[in-house]
Amino acid sequence: MTTVNLALGTMHFGTRLDERSSFDLLDRFVAAGGTMIDTANCYAFWSDPSGAGGQSERVIGRWLARRPGVRDRVYLSTKVGAEPIGAGEWPGNREGLSAPAIKAAVQDSLRRLGTDRIDLYWTHMEDRVAPLEDTVGALADLAGSGTVGRLGCSNHPTWRVERARQIARSNGWAGYTALQLRHSYLKPRPDTPVPGHDHRFGWATDEVVDYVHSDPELTLWAYTALLNGAYTRADRPLPEAYRHPATTRRMAALTEVAGELGVSPNQVVLAWLAGGDPAVTSIVGVSDATQLDEALAGVALVLTDEHRGRLDAAG
């Protein structure tokens, strides 16, 4: 069966989405050739009365336990660094990226997921209190022991990513080979707040895309690729930050290409990301089978050079 360049986002599994619905989506995803499942140890602390995360990992763990053999067919991706601990308000009370925090968090994630390894382990938010050498060393220890496979970072400034990779290289350690950032076809105005986005360095800027393009070791994963439904749903308008001339031109091109291909704008966006250079792995959170099928069809769509060129030139 052909695998697909799409990660199933499971942020709301076990909170907004009940276990049965979560299991159904996981089953449908794997049956369609999906392998990459993305979660985090902090999902979704803001939706749970306990104020703690771990619900998504627990649901995935129970799903795996009831489906013998499936673990070897999927690629588990989870994160460390943003789980709230103790008193205080988030993000001031997050666990951070000290060596002890990483080592404790990975064991908790393994237990909740019911597995002995994590295929891709992300540092979720940067931590400028913990020495970067300690963070990089702790991650390298996990990779060296086989507890985790690849290492990635989410919502980090590019200079910190490269500094961490230089530390790893100079010590002969495993280092970051993946970036996870917010990325889509439409872009907000620079330096303009976007409601619901808390990460200062959480955007895949042109510099980031060029950085990934220049290094064949790096891959880019994109979250919020479909802008929370704004491409297709009238009840999900774009935030004010996206209201500028380039958006008007890009939406016109997107609508034209989607109409010519007989597909949805969402599918064109996912095809544009998956078929780009560098190819981008979109993380798509869905709540029903229709949304999942649309996403799967989107990453399977191959844009012609003419269509891609028109999309690229529109703004």
Side-chain angles (χ1 to χ4, degrees):
M1 179 177 293
T2 302
T3 58
V4 294
N5 186 20
L6 180 75
L8 180 63
T10 64
M11 177 185 292
H12 301 298
F13 285 16
T15 48
R16 282 172 40 183
L17 203 65
D18 63 36
E19 184 164 298
R20 179 175 179 179
S21 299
S22 301
F23 280 19
D24 288 347
L25 288 172
L26 286 161
D27 287 338
R28 192 177 189 91
F29 180 66
V30 171
T35 58
M36 294 177 281
I37 299 171
D38 185 73
T39 186
N41 68 335
C42 68
Y43 293 163
F45 71 84
W46 56 91
S47 297
D48 194 82
S50 70
Q55 297 80 13
S56 174
E57 288 184 335
R58 289 188 188 95
V59 166
I60 294 169
R62 289 193 288 270
W63 173 72
L64 288 170
R66 297 176 192 178
R67 285 150 180 78
V70 170
R71 174 64 188 94
D72 291 334
R73 295 168 52 196
V74 298
Y75 189 83
L76 289 182
S77 155
T78 194
K79 310 178 191 73
V80 58
E83 169 70 354
I85 56 173
E89 294 186 2
W90 192 92
N93 67 343
R94 67 187 187 274
E95 64 196 332
L97 297 174
S98 69
I102 290 171
K103 291 175 181 178
V106 75
Q107 292 304 318
D108 288 341
S109 287
L110 290 169
R111 173 178 48 80
R112 285 189 291 261
L113 291 165
T115 186
D116 61 355
R117 70 191 188 282
I118 293 165
D119 299 303
L120 177 49
Y121 200 46
W122 306 87
T123 49
H124 205 164
M125 301 171 65
E126 65 165 336
D127 180 356
R128 298 198 185 181
V129 175
L132 191 55
E133 291 79 2
D134 291 359
T135 299
V136 175
L139 294 170
D141 287 345
L142 295 179
S145 68
T147 303
V148 305
R150 291 177 64 195
L151 299 167
C153 55
S154 181
N155 306 313
H156 286 48
T158 307
W159 71 268
R160 291 272 292 179
V161 176
E162 183 56 26
R163 183 169 292 180
R165 297 180 75 212
Q166 289 286 358
I167 292 169
R169 280 193 288 264
S170 67
N171 287 280
W173 297 341
Y176 293 136
T177 60
L179 308 181
Q180 185 175 142
L181 298 157
R182 181 165 177 157
H183 188 35
S184 190
Y185 178 60
L186 297 183
K187 314 290 184 186
R189 293 193 306 275
D191 301 319
T192 306
V194 176
H197 184 76
D198 302 316
H199 303 293
R200 177 184 176 190
F201 300 108
W203 298 93
T205 63
D206 186 52
E207 178 189 16
V208 169
V209 174
D210 183 62
Y211 178 48
V212 174
H213 181 270
S214 70
D215 190 334
E217 188 180 36
L218 285 174
T219 57
L220 176 61
W221 289 37
Y223 65 84
T224 321
L226 298 179
L227 301 183
N228 300 312
Y231 285 111
T232 57
R233 293 177 54 171
D235 62 330
R236 298 282 182 89
L238 285 165
E240 192 277 335
Y242 286 87
R243 296 173 190 168
H244 54 86
T247 291
T248 302
R249 294 192 295 270
R250 287 209 149 197
M251 280 301 298
L254 182 64
T255 301
E256 289 176 1
V257 170
E260 290 170 13
L261 295 174
V263 299
S264 72
N266 281 342
Q267 289 171 310
V268 175
V269 170
L270 293 175
W272 180 80
L273 289 166
D277 184 14
V280 177
T281 297
S282 294
I283 306 166
V284 177
V286 298
S287 57
D288 59 46
T290 300
Q291 293 174 352
L292 178 58
D293 291 348
E294 179 187 42
L296 289 165
V299 295
L301 177 67
V302 178
L303 298 174
T304 66
D305 290 343
E306 191 275 331
H307 281 141
R308 180 170 292 278
R310 202 189 316 168
L311 291 167
D312 290 343

